[in-house]
Amino acid sequence: MRAQELSFEEIEKGDPEHRLCNRDLAPASSDDRVWNGYSLFSLWMNDAHNASNYTFAAALFIGTGTLMGLTPFAIVIGVLVATAIIFAACCLSGMMGYETGAPYPVVSRVTWGVWGANFPAIVRGIVAIAWYGIQTYIASISLELLLMRIFPVMREWSTPFLGLRLSGWFAFLLLSAVQLLIVWRGMEAVRHFQGAAGPIIWVIMIGMAVWMLSQANWSFSWMTNASGETPAFGTQLYQIFVTVGLTVGTLATLMLNFADFARYAPTKKAVYVGNLLGLPLNWTAFALTSVICSAAAVQVYGEAFNDPGDLLDRIDNNIVFYLVSIGFIVATVGVNIVANFVSAAFDLSNVSPKHISFRIGGIVAVVLSIVVTPWNLYGSPAAITYFLGSLGALLGPFFGILVMDYYYYKRSNVNLKDLYSPQSGGHYFYHGGWNLRAVAAFIPAAVVALCVALVKVPFLEAIAPFSWFVAAPLGALCYWVVMTVTHTPRDCAPVSETVETESEVLKLS
């Protein structure tokens, strides 16, 4: 079911002061719905093919902390199961965007209220800005190495400033400017960039895997880890579950705000096909190529690298070095725009639509990402654990509460005009613009989620990789309990006019 189109001019009549809307937050029109299945597939290609995901897969293979190195078989199976779960979750959140045509901050008004929706949007925005800076820094390492090989004089730019050498600053600021330029040109520029970059990156990654295997005399074992050991079956089974938990946690951000992209899809089929090709198939294949590169590095260099920058620095073939460096840079720009930049821009715009457009939100995101000095954040395990870990843990309850409310209580029925209405009589004004039932459900779920993510005791540390699986269902359960105790009926927000079939959509278009 897709809601009837609501123009920005119609919204202005009910909100002339633009307290809840600007043109970027208004529902997508038929002309905007050009993100077909390939566009969404490209989105996931760009989200998967990047340095941080290479690092993630390689770290699982090598082993980090108390986690023994996983075998390629365990990693591939774990990623496959995880991405199947993410596929289902993104279809749920994506349908909210498809049906309303609205981005995530606006969709969340259904559950949190027209003003209360700023709370989850700000939390999501902070996570997006921090990870935007970190991803830009990771990509800037490859760019810095590339520039230093082309311009050796840059090796002398070693003076540190706020924890980063001058050559690193140059690469970081240059990448920030490129990303801002792409987003400044709008969502169509984002779509075209992704469509072109995704296949190119795949060719480069496959080429790198083949080259690394050839250097290793085609030696590769599915069942041994980086130490050359074959873990026991029980150990591998546990590690598969850990891989599932960590992979789902990695994409908890996009699972929450996938409406930002699905709102531009012309049909439901486009959402399902794009997600199916881009998640279980594409993500698993990329994890496999990353592990192949890491496994081959053990044979070639005597050690595996979980940082692609270290691997790049060992490559003495200039053609391979340039191609792979450019591939990682383009790939990380792609994931940054998809997973972090677009979300941060929409979230910031939602806070003050009258003063912050999508473009202005993007500028603010870039500035803030520099202020947090992401290289210091990335280099501090404690900062990652306590700052980003605590914020990330909150995304699970947000997802669970939103899905429970939208699909079970609202039955996908949305009064589109009231999503943009600051009037007290609107369906989503609730109590002063806040849905206090959502707040009451969120608090206990958030406390548990934070304990799982941050408290260092044996039992909680054991389930920490599965924090999203604890937090999201708990958020939904708490919301159901609150709604039951307060005797709130289902279907409590009647829909305005809706269109039931694609043929009727065409008649209205």
Side-chain angles (χ1 to χ4, degrees), residues 9 38 40 85 124 129 165 251 288 297 346 374 377 380 414 450 456 464:
E9 287 71 25
Y38 177 76
L40 295 175
I85 295 169
R124 173 65 181 96
I129 290 169
R165 49 183 285 154
L251 283 175
L288 175 60
F346 277 131
L377 196 61
S380 171
V414 176
L450 290 173
K456 301 302 180 183

Side-chain angles (χ1 to χ4, degrees), residues 7-65:
S7 68
F8 178 67
E9 287 71 25
E10 291 176 288
I11 294 172
E12 276 188 310
K13 294 177 182 178
D15 183 22
E17 296 181 2
H18 294 188
R19 299 173 66 190
L20 288 171
C21 189
N22 54 35
R23 291 189 180 276
D24 298 313
L25 296 176
S29 66
S30 294
D31 292 338
D32 297 323
R33 291 179 179 268
V34 292
W35 286 58
N36 56 23
Y38 177 76
S39 299
L40 295 175
F41 171 44
S42 298
L43 179 152
W44 289 117
M45 278 197 288
N46 283 270
D47 192 52
H49 309 164
N50 60 82
S52 63
N53 283 329
Y54 175 96
T55 298
F56 172 74
L60 291 175
F61 177 68
I62 297 168
T64 56

Side-chain angles (χ1 to χ4, degrees), residues 14 21 92 109 122 131 160 166 179 181 189 212 218 241 261 304 317 323 344 349 370 403 449 484 504 507:
C21 189
L92 286 173
R109 294 173 187 173
I122 289 173
W131 277 118
L166 294 183
Q179 292 172 106
L181 178 63
M212 287 297 298
W218 308 100
F241 283 120
F261 304 96
N317 184 303
L323 286 176
S349 180
I370 297 172
V403 169
T484 301
E504 292 179 15
K507 290 177 183 177

Side-chain angles (χ1 to χ4, degrees), residues 172-292:
F172 179 81
L173 293 177
L174 179 60
L175 272 184
S176 295
V178 169
Q179 292 172 106
L180 180 59
L181 178 63
I182 294 171
V183 177
W184 185 265
R185 295 177 64 85
M187 291 299 290
E188 270 299 277
V190 172
R191 183 173 72 91
H192 289 305
F193 174 82
Q194 291 178 156
I200 294 173
I201 297 163
W202 242 138
V203 171
I204 292 173
M205 270 304 298
I206 293 173
M208 179 180 177
V210 171
W211 185 81
M212 287 297 298
L213 275 177
S214 69
Q215 296 298 299
N217 296 318
W218 308 100
S219 175
F220 176 76
S221 173
W222 280 91
M223 305 307 294
T224 58
N225 59 24
S227 301
E229 302 171 348
T230 302
F233 175 77
T235 301
Q236 289 205 52
L237 187 61
Y238 172 74
Q239 292 177 341
I240 288 173
F241 283 120
V242 170
T243 302
V244 172
L246 293 174
T247 304
V248 171
T250 299
L251 283 175
T253 50
L254 265 177
M255 286 191 290
L256 185 63
N257 71 286
F258 193 65
D260 289 344
F261 304 96
R263 64 187 294 223
Y264 298 112
T267 64
K268 289 183 179 181
K269 181 180 178 181
V271 178
Y272 295 138
V273 170
N275 285 349
L276 180 63
L277 295 176
L279 281 163
L281 300 179
N282 182 71
W283 263 77
T284 305
F286 182 80
L288 175 60
T289 56
S290 299
V291 173
I292 287 174

Side-chain angles (χ1 to χ4, degrees), residues 288-301:
L288 175 60
T289 56
S290 299
V291 173
I292 287 174
C293 290
S294 296
V298 175
Q299 302 293 324
V300 178
Y301 304 112

